[in-house]
Every structure is written in C-alpha cells, then in structure tokens.
Amino acid sequence: MKKKLIYLGIILLAILIQTSFLPIFMGSSVAGDAVLMLILTVAVLDGFASALSWAILTGILCDFASYVKVGQHVLIFLLVVYMVSFFSRRLSVEVKGTGILLFLLFIIIATLISNVLLTAFLILGDGSIKLQPQFLSILKLILFQTGGNAVLFFLWYNLIKKIKKALL
C-alpha cells in the first residue's frame, strides 16, 4: 500500500512537471515528456504486469490534465509498456554496457510513438488542420525532445530505484 501511494505521488508530480514547469522553462517547445519517461521507467523496473495498471491510471490523469480526449495518452503509454516488456524479456535491461544503449533505444522509440500518435490524434480530431511538413525542423524537435527525455528517464530511473531500495 505504501508503494502505491508513493507511486501515485510520483505520478502526480510528473504530471505537474509536464504541464507546469517544463513549458515555463522550455517555452513552446517542451524538451521532454516527464510522464512518458516515468511510465517507461516503471515498465523497465517493475515489469509489464505492474506497469500496465499504472500506465492506464497515468494516461487517464494525463489526459485530464492536458485537456485532450480521454484515452489518447492511455494508448501511447500502453504501447510503450508493451514494447518495453517485449524487449526486456528477451534482452538484458541493466545500466551496464549494452543496457544503456537499449535504454536509449527505448527512449527514442517511445518519443517517436508519442509524437506520431499525438499528431495523428490531432489530425483525426480536427480535419481542418493543415500540416506543412518541414522535415528539418521536425527532426530538430524530435532530437531535442529525445535528449530531454533521456535526461528525464535517467532522473526517474535513479529516483524510483532509490525509493524501491528504501521500501525494501
């Protein structure tokens, strides 16, 4: 029960960081997705079964906080949790050698999944949106966001690992 309350507090903190602090410090181009990286961290550390319920709850709360249709972030988070569980069963996921490269691959794929799906939801939700693809600016944004996500991931990873160690 104590772990659940602590995780709920961390989730609310991540949503607060994502909706309040990051946009203030980074302007309109947010340099990371704190909530997505939190879900990625929980999936890596706790596994699919535990992360599944947290992904659903966090997705619903994130949708409420960002004023979008309920289910958009849930879908993104579930895809990320499934991806991590698929690869973590087959490969070593530790902060050593190739594990760091695997984490970076998870971060890149999660960032791409999030960007692609949020753009698709935006296009499908409002047919009047006209996207003018500017490949270089989109690529810069994704690279910038991936770097920010990597920093956020390793911060969440170390924090949750310390909390889990303190609880045991």
Side-chain angles (χ1 to χ4, degrees):
M1 184 65 173
K2 189 175 183 181
K3 179 182 173 185
K4 290 180 182 180
L5 288 174
I6 291 172
Y7 270 24
L8 184 61
I10 292 172
I11 289 169
L12 294 175
L13 176 67
I15 291 172
L16 183 66
I17 289 170
Q18 182 65 36
T19 58
S20 298
F21 298 120
L22 285 180
I24 289 172
F25 293 119
M26 298 299 169
S28 61
S29 62
V30 177
D33 192 343
V35 182
L36 179 66
M37 292 301 105
L38 175 64
I39 292 300
L40 183 62
T41 303
V42 170
V44 166
L45 290 176
D46 289 347
F48 179 75
S50 177
L52 185 66
S53 58
W54 288 114
I56 293 169
L57 174 68
T58 306
I60 291 170
L61 291 174
C62 195
D63 287 337
F64 286 150
S66 58
Y67 300 108
V68 296
K69 292 179 184 175
V70 175
Q72 292 181 4
H73 285 96
V74 174
L75 181 62
I76 292 167
F77 296 161
L78 288 177
L79 284 172
V80 168
V81 167
Y82 181 73
M83 173 204 54
V84 169
S85 71
F86 178 80
F87 286 110
S88 64
R89 283 189 220 157
R90 289 153 181 79
L91 303 168
S92 174
V93 183
E94 296 178 10
V95 185
K96 296 178 185 172
T98 59
I100 294 174
L101 294 176
L102 190 60
F103 286 152
L104 291 175
L105 182 66
F106 287 160
I107 293 166
I108 291 168
I109 293 172
T111 303
L112 289 174
I113 288 172
S114 177
N115 285 327
V116 167
L117 286 179
L118 287 175
T119 303
F121 291 140
L122 191 64
I123 292 170
L124 293 174
D126 186 8
S128 66
I129 295 175
K130 296 176 185 171
L131 292 177
Q132 297 177 358
Q134 299 168 342
F135 185 71
L136 249 54
S137 63
I138 292 171
L139 187 61
K140 284 181 190 176
L141 178 68
I142 290 175
L143 288 174
F144 185 62
Q145 190 176 24
T146 302
N149 281 346
V151 171
L152 288 167
F153 173 79
F154 287 108
L155 288 173
W156 286 126
Y157 185 84
N158 289 327
L159 178 70
I160 291 179
K161 235 179 159 181
K162 287 179 183 179
I163 289 172
K164 284 180 75 167
K165 196 180 279 189
L167 290 175
L168 296 176

PDB file of all heavy atoms in Angstrom, residues 43 55 83 86 91 131 168:
ATOM      1  N   ALA A  43       7.934   0.652 -16.328  1.00  0.00           N
ATOM      2  CA  ALA A  43       7.887  -0.567 -17.133  1.00  0.00           C
ATOM      3  C   ALA A  43       9.216  -1.313 -17.087  1.00  0.00           C
ATOM      4  O   ALA A  43       9.249  -2.541 -17.009  1.00  0.00           O
ATOM      5  CB  ALA A  43       7.516  -0.232 -18.573  1.00  0.00           C
ATOM      6  N   ALA A  55       0.093   2.516 -16.132  1.00  0.00           N
ATOM      7  CA  ALA A  55       0.012   3.198 -17.434  1.00  0.00           C
ATOM      8  C   ALA A  55      -1.418   3.669 -17.711  1.00  0.00           C
ATOM      9  O   ALA A  55      -1.620   4.787 -18.197  1.00  0.00           O
ATOM     10  CB  ALA A  55       0.485   2.271 -18.543  1.00  0.00           C
ATOM     11  N   MET A  83       5.940  -2.478 -25.548  1.00  0.00           N
ATOM     12  CA  MET A  83       7.220  -2.522 -26.248  1.00  0.00           C
ATOM     13  C   MET A  83       8.351  -2.882 -25.277  1.00  0.00           C
ATOM     14  O   MET A  83       9.186  -3.729 -25.569  1.00  0.00           O
ATOM     15  CB  MET A  83       7.520  -1.187 -26.919  1.00  0.00           C
ATOM     16  CG  MET A  83       8.893  -1.109 -27.526  1.00  0.00           C
ATOM     17  SD  MET A  83       9.594   0.521 -27.741  1.00  0.00           S
ATOM     18  CE  MET A  83       9.508   1.272 -26.161  1.00  0.00           C
ATOM     19  N   PHE A  86       8.140  -6.504 -24.120  1.00  0.00           N
ATOM     20  CA  PHE A  86       8.516  -7.426 -25.198  1.00  0.00           C
ATOM     21  C   PHE A  86      10.028  -7.570 -25.286  1.00  0.00           C
ATOM     22  O   PHE A  86      10.565  -8.677 -25.357  1.00  0.00           O
ATOM     23  CB  PHE A  86       7.951  -6.919 -26.526  1.00  0.00           C
ATOM     24  CG  PHE A  86       8.308  -7.771 -27.709  1.00  0.00           C
ATOM     25  CD1 PHE A  86       7.612  -8.943 -27.963  1.00  0.00           C
ATOM     26  CD2 PHE A  86       9.342  -7.410 -28.551  1.00  0.00           C
ATOM     27  CE1 PHE A  86       7.939  -9.741 -29.052  1.00  0.00           C
ATOM     28  CE2 PHE A  86       9.683  -8.198 -29.641  1.00  0.00           C
ATOM     29  CZ  PHE A  86       8.981  -9.366 -29.896  1.00  0.00           C
ATOM     30  N   LEU A  91      16.064  -9.408 -23.782  1.00  0.00           N
ATOM     31  CA  LEU A  91      17.386  -8.786 -23.680  1.00  0.00           C
ATOM     32  C   LEU A  91      17.653  -8.343 -22.248  1.00  0.00           C
ATOM     33  O   LEU A  91      16.724  -8.097 -21.484  1.00  0.00           O
ATOM     34  CB  LEU A  91      17.472  -7.583 -24.621  1.00  0.00           C
ATOM     35  CG  LEU A  91      17.189  -7.861 -26.094  1.00  0.00           C
ATOM     36  CD1 LEU A  91      17.020  -6.567 -26.854  1.00  0.00           C
ATOM     37  CD2 LEU A  91      18.305  -8.687 -26.704  1.00  0.00           C
ATOM     38  N   LEU A 131      -1.050  20.338 -42.142  1.00  0.00           N
ATOM     39  CA  LEU A 131       0.347  20.165 -41.754  1.00  0.00           C
ATOM     40  C   LEU A 131       1.244  20.501 -42.926  1.00  0.00           C
ATOM     41  O   LEU A 131       1.072  19.990 -44.022  1.00  0.00           O
ATOM     42  CB  LEU A 131       0.618  18.729 -41.304  1.00  0.00           C
ATOM     43  CG  LEU A 131      -0.031  18.298 -40.006  1.00  0.00           C
ATOM     44  CD1 LEU A 131       0.284  16.849 -39.742  1.00  0.00           C
ATOM     45  CD2 LEU A 131       0.444  19.154 -38.866  1.00  0.00           C
ATOM     46  N   LEU A 168      12.302  -1.602   0.637  1.00  0.00           N
ATOM     47  CA  LEU A 168      12.626  -2.994   0.952  1.00  0.00           C
ATOM     48  C   LEU A 168      13.462  -3.048   2.156  1.00  0.00           C
ATOM     49  O   LEU A 168      13.778  -3.121   3.059  1.00  0.00           O
ATOM     50  CB  LEU A 168      13.346  -3.655  -0.212  1.00  0.00           C
ATOM     51  CG  LEU A 168      12.528  -3.767  -1.489  1.00  0.00           C
ATOM     52  CD1 LEU A 168      13.380  -4.358  -2.590  1.00  0.00           C
ATOM     53  CD2 LEU A 168      11.320  -4.646  -1.271  1.00  0.00           C
TER      54      LEU A 168
END
